[in-house]
Amino acid sequence: MLNKARSRIVSLVISLCFLLVSHSVLAAQISSADFQRVVDGAYKKFKDLKEGANANYIPILDTVPSDLFGVVIATRDGKIYSAGETRYEFSIQSVSKPFTASLIMAQQGPRAIREKIGVEPTGLPFNSRLALEIYDSRSVNPSVNAGAIAAVSLVKADSEKDRWNQVNGNIEAYAGRKLKVLEEVYDSEYETAWGNRAIANLLYNYERLYSDPEEALRVYTRQCSIGINTKDLAIMGATLANEGTNPITGKKVLNSEHVPELLAIMAATGFYDESGEWMYSAGLPSKTGVGGGIVAVVPGQFAIATFSPRLNPAGNSIRGMKAIQFIAGELGVGLYGPNKGE
Ligand code: GLN
């Protein structure tokens, strides 16, 4: 009996080792030339695609040149491969959300995310007020507006300035450089933020917001207005691929033991009510934003970032999605094996 159990364990260990070895052999097989080939290939294949439209519920986002398109891969050892527009600074928007969730994890542990925000997908749009009424957790997860405003409110701060400095400093640590808020984007969003204001107040009413609601709204809106380029976004993702250490600066931003929980949130909720569809077709933990950015993480290996302002109705960048699906498919790096779910 004991021997049988032991031999089972031994064979399990052997097959696990085999899996690990085959995985790292696979990782090692991706050469610089391969990375550049898929980045160029994705850019070429989708650059002329005009489907979708800029976000316009934040008026200024409608003025961003829609044809801009950038694709960047950053590896866990800091190598960069890029095609198209990689220097244009666009607003980070919801791509910022998992990174602020990471700040809460770093300061208070992953349990705070589960207990004070939630980790379930909503199955509803990112700005849903309905989700807040039908789920007991109210904020539901850090990728939707409610959960992201709650995350900002959870930062332990003694003033609004302190709260902002911590949120901004954390995103800068992920990007590996000083970043600027796009003040026009901030003004445009804050002046029209009635829906998010309602969300902040409702959360406060349900005791699921942990600071003054208007302060949380302002800091959240500023966070969404941070200007980044496609390369910054790739480095932010590569920091997660590199177990929480920025590959360019060498700074540890998140403890490696918390990276799996953060990536799990991105996989389950990063595309809102399209998250299932996304994992089906690309198989990578990712986050999108209405500014047109997407970052996808291949754990332990590299990140893919894209920028393209035209969105689908769920608020996700169409060319960005296609480019990442293409790259993930070409390199066969979907989390559960090479995805064929076109
Ligand atoms: N700042 C935006 C908002 O609150 C972020 C939404 C997004 O990128 N999906 O509506």
Side-chain angles (χ1 to χ4, degrees):
M1 192 72 184
L2 206 70
N3 271 348
K4 218 170 172 189
R6 208 173 277 153
S7 69
R8 270 216 188 121
I9 293 174
V10 169
S11 66
L12 198 79
V13 169
I14 292 174
S15 42
L16 264 176
C17 288
F18 176 75
L19 248 170
L20 278 175
V21 169
S22 59
H23 206 78
S24 55
V25 165
L26 207 88
Q29 276 172 354
I30 305 175
S31 64
S32 291
D34 283 335
F35 278 128
Q36 195 57 53
R37 175 181 59 79
V38 293
V39 162
D40 289 338
Y43 179 76
K44 224 172 123 198
K45 198 165 160 70
F46 303 112
K47 80 174 163 24
D48 297 321
L49 193 71
K50 308 262 184 226
E51 210 181 312
N54 285 32
N56 61 6
Y57 74 97
I58 300 171
I60 196 143
L61 294 186
D62 210 15
T63 66
V64 175
S66 309
D67 284 334
L68 293 176
F69 183 35
V71 184
V72 178
I73 284 180
T75 63
R76 73 172 293 170
D77 55 354
K79 294 201 180 69
I80 308 284
Y81 304 91
S82 54
E85 180 54 67
T86 57
R87 300 268 155 208
Y88 183 88
E89 290 192 358
F90 54 95
S91 57
I92 188 168
Q93 300 296 346
S94 287
V95 187
S96 62
K97 290 169 174 173
F99 297 98
T100 296
S102 141
L103 176 65
I104 303 304
M105 271 189 197
Q107 293 183 340
Q108 302 174 37
R111 188 180 287 183
I113 299 283
R114 185 197 265 126
E115 289 176 358
K116 300 202 159 135
I117 299 176
V119 293
E120 292 297 339
T122 63
L124 288 161
F126 62 82
N127 54 1
S128 174
R129 265 86 79 191
L130 182 63
L132 213 142
E133 295 298 344
I134 59 180
Y135 292 105
D136 285 341
S137 64
R138 309 298 175 189
S139 40
V140 200
N141 70 63
S143 295
V144 294
N145 292 7
I149 298 171
V152 163
S153 80
L154 268 174
V155 174
K156 290 210 165 34
D158 50 29
S159 65
E160 183 166 338
K161 192 159 174 240
D162 180 26
R163 188 178 305 283
W164 165 248
N165 285 341
Q166 290 184 57
V167 166
N168 186 45
N170 174 64
I171 289 177
E172 288 184 335
Y174 268 104
R177 71 174 181 108
K178 289 258 166 250
L179 299 169
K180 279 198 205 83
V181 167
L182 305 176
E183 294 294 343
E184 283 185 314
V185 175
Y186 175 78
D187 291 344
S188 180
E189 180 162 357
Y190 188 62
E191 278 162 17
T192 53
W194 303 108
N196 283 342
R197 182 169 290 111
I199 286 172
N201 283 303
L202 278 173
L203 285 176
Y204 193 72
N205 174 61
Y206 287 124
E207 299 180 356
R208 297 287 288 175
L209 197 84
Y210 311 96
S211 74
D212 170 68
E214 198 61 29
E215 177 177 328
L217 177 69
R218 273 194 298 267
V219 175
Y220 162 78
T221 309
R222 267 194 106 62
Q223 166 189 309
C224 290
S225 309
I226 291 174
I228 42 146
N229 61 39
T230 322
K231 186 176 159 220
D232 296 324
L233 209 51
I235 292 167
M236 292 175 78
T239 302
L240 291 175
N242 191 31
E243 293 164 41
T245 298
N246 184 309
I248 307 294
T249 63
K251 187 174 171 175
K252 178 153 260 338
V253 192
L254 182 65
N255 242 331
S256 56
E257 63 181 301
H258 299 328
V259 172
E261 280 102 334
L262 196 70
L263 294 177
I265 289 171
M266 291 166 73
T269 67
F271 273 70
Y272 325 112
D273 43 338
E274 266 188 348
S275 300
E277 170 66 37
W278 179 250
M279 288 310 284
Y280 190 78
S281 58
L284 292 175
S286 310
K287 189 71 203 80
T288 73
V290 292
I294 306 182
V295 65
V297 180
V298 182
Q301 297 188 52
F302 60 92
I304 312 163
T306 54
F307 166 56
S308 171
R310 291 197 193 94
L311 313 177
N312 70 11
N316 301 321
S317 163
I318 294 178
R319 282 188 301 192
M321 289 169 76
K322 289 192 184 292
I324 294 169
Q325 283 163 348
F326 171 82
I327 292 173
E330 284 290 299
L331 299 178
V333 290
L335 227 53
Y336 312 111
N339 286 47
K340 300 271 184 293
E342 292 175 338

